[in-house]
Amino acid sequence: MAARHERERRARRRGRGAIEAAAERPAYLIVFDVLEQGDTELLARPYRERRTILEDLFAREVLATPFTLCPATNDRATALDSRRSRTPLAWT
């Protein structure tokens, strides 16, 4: 609940207060899938293919901060451990 309250408080900041908050605690968007690339819709493609496209966007630095690539795994034990520790992890 405290984290939610902090996010709401931060979202209300404007001007210099918003700039200071961003410098103190930068926000990131954690990305785990790509649904479009340019004018091409990718929804019909398998997730693993979309994931490869997404990883390539990060590798070529087309996507960079504030975007963060969410780690992915197809190992069940790793996925369960991630869930228990509340660490973002995409299932491949």
Side-chain angles (χ1 to χ4, degrees), residues 40-79:
T40 305
E41 184 178 289
L42 305 174
L43 291 170
R45 296 187 185 182
Y47 172 73
R48 288 181 188 212
E49 183 179 336
R50 296 192 317 266
R51 178 69 187 201
T52 299
I53 292 168
L54 181 63
E55 290 173 355
D56 181 61
L57 291 171
F58 276 96
R60 293 185 295 123
E61 297 182 358
V62 173
L63 289 177
T65 304
F67 299 100
T68 302
L69 182 61
C70 179
T73 187
N74 60 4
D75 178 70
R76 187 174 194 277
T78 301

Side-chain angles (χ1 to χ4, degrees), residues 3-63:
R4 179 176 171 218
H5 175 71
E6 178 61 30
R7 283 191 306 269
E8 290 172 355
R9 198 176 94 208
R10 178 188 173 128
R12 290 190 297 268
R13 292 183 179 182
R14 300 288 182 258
R16 185 165 178 79
I19 292 168
E20 290 171 357
E24 291 171 12
R25 298 179 116 183
Y28 296 91
L29 175 62
I30 299 172
V31 183
F32 65 92
D33 199 353
V34 60
L35 306 179
E36 287 184 2
Q37 186 178 26
D39 293 333
T40 305
E41 184 178 289
L42 305 174
L43 291 170
R45 296 187 185 182
Y47 172 73
R48 288 181 188 212
E49 183 179 336
R50 296 192 317 266
R51 178 69 187 201
T52 299
I53 292 168
L54 181 63
E55 290 173 355
D56 181 61
L57 291 171
F58 276 96
R60 293 185 295 123
E61 297 182 358
V62 173
L63 289 177

